[in-house]
Amino acid sequence: MAPPRDITSSLPANTPDRQREPIASPYMPRYPDPMSNISNFKIIETTLREGEQFANAFFDTKTKVAIAKALDAIGVDYIELTSPAASEQSRNDCRVISSLGLKAKVLTHVRCHMDDVRLAIDTGVDGVNVVMGTSSYLREFSHGKSMEYITARAIEVINFVKSKGLEVRFSTEDSFRSDLVDLLAIYKAVDKVGVHRVGIADTVGCADPRQVYEFVKTLRSVVSCDIECHFHNDTGCAIANAYTALEAGATHIDTTVLGIGERNGITPLGGLLARMYTADRAYVMNKYTLPSIRDVENLVAEEVDIGVPFNNYVTGFCAFTHKAGIHAKAILNNPSTYEILKPEDFGVSRYVSIGHRLTGWNAVKNRIEQLKLTDLTDDDAKAVTQKIKELADIRPLNLDNVDVLLRRYHTAKKTSQHIDVLHGINNPDELVAVTVAA
């Protein structure tokens, strides 16, 4: 995290000094919204429900158990499972995962229907998440029910689940295309009968952060229960919407590993944790085991037959790779110049790329120090850098190529032939390490 702004010099000499809190960006508010939960939120991890709706996904029981345990190792607060009404195997999986003794609470996601709810309770889950579509699109083209019917069924289901001692959430579906007056009426009705959480779902990914803030802030003013938010990523706002929802008073955010889910998926777990880390590093690091993110991402990526994207939050291979010479110099002097996240906090490493025409001599000097070629000077680093740039106009050099060049230069300098070595190399393919036969 970047150091706090030093504004002492701009204060009059007689102004009493006051403690200033470190902030991640000078553009972030110094004092958060009074309703904000950016330092007090919970994650409902739904890879084993929403993630099963990803095009490539098929999780057998063994895989679901492995994913559930990996998510539990990170410290997510809840794990949500596919409805037991979906299939016999889904019902069995709910029973198996509910019996694992995880620290996370186990939930299942079902329709707002008594038959589904009875099946859910019989599996031994800790809570039931019920949902029903409320937009005009879904009411006309999906279930065909009125808001009065939806409200009556929601109250019936909530009372039944509570009578069994389980946690219960009621969510509307397609919330951002539903009538606000209708939504507030049903949320107030279920809050009155003691629902634990109400849910907002941006089912088609149409919402933007401003809409989310206003919606959640309004809802927060009319209900006393917790507020859960589920954001699809069709238009690229899922993480921003989740963060904004927490600022406005939401308490729970739905995520999946790598953001997989229906269509383009939802808020990614790793991306949300990276965003929240910048807001309150201590809270996130104390609550969640960040180095375990990479393990569960690799596991899920393999199971759904995709690669972890190159630009994935935190764990993509480019996430902490620095290339431009000006960037590399600054990073080597102080990583905070071009990094808002500390890679070591997430169990990953920083890499300074040097085998290209954008490289700078400070990055090459750093590699010289790593190789312990201590008698090479700054002028030597500059000379080798110019040769790297020349060769990289033909093709980029890999790290082995750079190391061969540096070692040849270092050896030749002992006999004052180092300049000749540089002049004698005209193609990156000449920089091949010699392997000594055993």
Side-chain angles (χ1 to χ4, degrees):
M1 183 171 288
R5 290 173 289 182
D6 183 5
I7 61 171
T8 305
S9 59
S10 64
L11 295 174
N14 60 351
T15 301
D17 193 19
R18 60 185 291 269
Q19 184 176 358
R20 284 175 288 278
E21 300 171 350
I23 56 175
S25 164
Y27 305 107
M28 291 179 66
R30 181 172 291 275
Y31 303 106
D33 190 307
M35 301 304 296
S36 174
N37 283 312
I38 61 173
S39 297
N40 183 30
F41 61 90
K42 294 182 179 180
I43 291 175
I44 298 180
E45 226 303 320
T46 183
T47 298
L48 297 180
R49 196 279 296 176
E50 175 72 45
E52 276 211 291
Q53 296 171 221
F54 177 61
N56 284 7
F58 173 77
F59 302 139
D60 59 21
T61 303
K62 181 180 178 181
T63 300
K64 286 186 179 182
V65 168
I67 293 172
K69 289 181 176 179
L71 291 170
D72 200 48
I74 291 173
V76 300
D77 304 274
Y78 297 84
I79 294 173
E80 185 181 62
L81 309 176
T82 294
S83 169
S87 72
E88 181 62 36
Q89 190 58 53
S90 297
R91 189 152 54 252
N92 181 64
D93 292 341
C94 283
R95 293 191 183 101
V96 170
I97 293 173
S98 295
S99 66
L100 292 176
L102 303 177
K103 296 186 293 294
K105 290 184 178 181
V106 177
L107 310 172
T108 188
H109 180 90
V110 302
R111 295 170 297 183
C112 189
H113 192 285
M114 289 295 292
D115 291 343
D116 287 16
V117 170
R118 289 189 180 95
L119 286 175
I121 292 171
D122 287 345
T123 65
V125 294
D126 299 304
V128 181
N129 286 350
V130 298
V131 62
M132 198 160 191
T134 51
S135 70
S136 59
Y137 293 97
L138 297 181
R139 285 160 57 193
E140 180 177 355
F141 299 109
S142 180
H143 55 70
K145 306 299 184 183
S146 68
M147 287 303 297
E148 292 75 18
Y149 175 92
I150 296 170
T151 302
R153 293 291 75 72
I155 291 172
E156 177 187 20
V157 164
I158 289 165
N159 284 332
F160 181 71
V161 175
K162 287 182 63 184
S163 73
K164 301 298 181 180
L166 272 63
E167 196 168 309
V168 59
R169 177 220 70 189
F170 173 79
S171 179
T172 61
E173 186 182 12
D174 205 7
S175 310
F176 287 87
R177 296 193 298 174
S178 300
D179 182 82
L180 180 59
V181 173
D182 287 342
L183 290 180
L184 295 180
I186 193 169
Y187 286 137
K188 288 172 69 175
V190 298
D191 183 48
K192 187 175 180 180
V193 298
V195 73
H196 295 91
R197 291 188 310 284
V198 290
I200 297 170
D202 182 18
T203 305
V204 296
C206 64
D208 64 45
R210 180 171 292 186
Q211 289 174 306
V212 169
Y213 186 87
E214 292 301 326
F215 188 179
V216 175
K217 185 177 181 181
T218 300
L219 178 58
R220 180 73 286 166
S221 69
V222 300
V223 299
S224 59
C225 62
D226 287 339
I227 300 173
E228 175 184 341
C229 293
H230 182 95
F231 295 110
H232 276 263
N233 204 33
D234 300 70
T235 58
C237 287
I239 295 174
N241 284 343
Y243 183 81
T244 304
L246 292 173
E247 284 189 307
T251 55
H252 296 63
I253 299 295
D254 292 3
T255 69
T256 60
V257 176
L258 296 174
I260 65 171
E262 190 79 31
R263 304 183 313 280
N264 287 350
I266 67 167
T267 309
L269 173 63
L272 178 69
L273 287 174
R275 175 62 255 175
M276 303 317 299
Y277 170 103
T278 67
D280 193 331
R281 176 172 174 261
Y283 177 78
V284 171
M285 290 193 65
N286 288 334
K287 186 174 181 182
Y288 301 106
T289 306
L290 301 182
S292 295
I293 295 172
R294 180 168 53 178
D295 297 333
V296 73
E297 288 185 344
N298 288 338
L299 170 61
V300 171
E302 181 178 355
E303 290 297 333
V304 300
D305 197 27
I306 62 173
V308 174
F310 75 92
N311 61 343
N312 193 53
Y313 315 95
V314 179
T315 60
F317 80 86
C318 288
F320 295 103
T321 296
H322 302 275
K323 183 174 180 180
I326 295 174
H327 284 231
K329 177 182 178 181
I331 278 290
L332 293 169
N333 287 327
N334 182 346
S336 292
T337 51
Y338 285 103
E339 289 177 351
I340 198 64
L341 310 175
K342 293 185 177 182
E344 59 270 26
D345 288 347
F346 294 86
V348 296
S349 300
R350 178 183 304 110
Y351 174 66
V352 177
S353 176
I354 61 177
H356 51 84
R357 57 190 172 204
L358 303 180
T359 196
W361 74 269
N362 286 280
V364 175
K365 178 184 176 182
N366 179 254
R367 186 59 182 167
I368 288 171
E369 293 170 351
Q370 290 175 344
L371 295 175
K372 294 182 169 55
L373 307 178
T374 53
D375 51 338
L376 295 186
T377 66
D378 287 357
D379 286 340
D380 292 323
K382 292 174 182 178
V384 174
T385 300
Q386 287 307 118
K387 174 53 68 171
I388 291 173
K389 287 174 173 285
E390 176 189 323
L391 296 173
D393 271 340
I394 301 172
R395 71 158 173 81
L397 283 65
N398 60 40
L399 191 58
D400 287 340
N401 295 151
V402 173
D403 289 353
V404 168
L405 177 59
L406 287 169
R407 288 192 170 102
R408 286 186 188 175
Y409 183 92
H410 177 255
T411 300
K413 188 177 180 182
K414 296 175 182 177
T415 56
S416 299
Q417 295 178 308
H418 47 296
I419 302 302
D420 294 335
V421 164
L422 294 183
H423 289 160
I425 299 172
N426 299 304
N427 191 294
D429 294 337
E430 299 172 33
L431 298 174
V432 179
V434 177
T435 302
V436 179

